[in-house]
Amino acid sequence: MPKGVSVDEEAVKAGYEDVRNDDSETKFLMLTYQEDNTKITVHKSGSDYSEVLTELGGEDGESLRAYVYLRVVTGDEMSKRHKFVLLTWCGPTVPALKKAKMSLEKTQVKNLMSSYAVEIQTSELEDMALDNIIELVRKSGGANYGPGK
């Protein structure tokens, strides 16, 4: 981990397990950097992923660096299953040095949130749309059998 940046491991692990818990309503966990850029912490979690999109699409989203762990439901008529996605958001106005450091800092985040089907890194809000994410997860799963048409 780069000098001066740490992760709130206990809170992140608890949030990660909550998202993975089938009995939980929590569908996402969002991590951001504290204002002084020395710690990655849990920013929010919840059941409505549109909260994440609203925040990233807002004025602050332009300069925000965030990691989102998301649970989605995929499958066909015959089989529904939970899949997990790790999203890395780096707003379009984030300075180059901070962008570069994210690749190193993300390693620690990935060590805590290690189980996911798809990883997406972007600064484009369209890439974060739930329909696009589900499509990528579906494609990563291989065959998609159904009753046919």
Side-chain angles (χ1 to χ4, degrees), residues 11 18 21 23 30 38 54 56 81 85 95 117 122-124 131 141:
D18 190 33
N21 183 348
D23 295 327
M30 183 177 186
T38 61
T54 299
L56 297 180
R81 55 203 165 272
V85 180
T122 188
S123 61
E124 299 294 329
D131 289 342

Side-chain angles (χ1 to χ4, degrees), residues 52-54 56-58 89 122-129 132:
V52 172
L53 296 178
T54 299
L56 297 180
W89 171 264
T122 188
S123 61
E124 299 294 329
L125 197 56
E126 300 83 47
D127 295 339
M128 300 287 281
N132 293 340

Side-chain angles (χ1 to χ4, degrees), residues 15-62:
Y16 170 77
E17 291 302 326
D18 190 33
V19 173
R20 293 192 57 78
N21 183 348
D22 289 340
D23 295 327
S24 173
E25 293 293 317
T26 305
K27 292 187 177 148
F28 74 87
L29 172 68
M30 183 177 186
L31 311 178
T32 58
Y33 292 76
Q34 288 181 337
E35 280 189 37
D36 62 3
N37 290 308
T38 61
K39 193 168 199 172
I40 299 170
T41 61
V42 173
H43 179 68
K44 68 168 57 177
S45 63
S47 60
D48 186 1
Y49 177 67
S50 67
E51 293 176 29
V52 172
L53 296 178
T54 299
E55 188 154 346
L56 297 180
E59 194 173 300
D60 292 338
E62 293 273 314

Side-chain angles (χ1 to χ4, degrees), residues 3 17 31-32 37 46 50 83 108 126 133-134 139 145:
K3 185 177 181 181
E17 291 302 326
L31 311 178
T32 58
N37 290 308
S50 67
K83 295 289 184 175
Q108 185 68 16
E126 300 83 47
I133 292 168
I134 290 173
K139 286 179 179 178
Y145 301 109

Side-chain angles (χ1 to χ4, degrees), residues 99-113:
K99 285 181 185 181
K101 287 181 178 180
M102 271 189 88
S103 65
L104 298 172
E105 296 157 356
K106 182 167 59 170
T107 301
Q108 185 68 16
V109 171
K110 289 170 77 170
N111 286 339
L112 297 172
M113 300 190 300

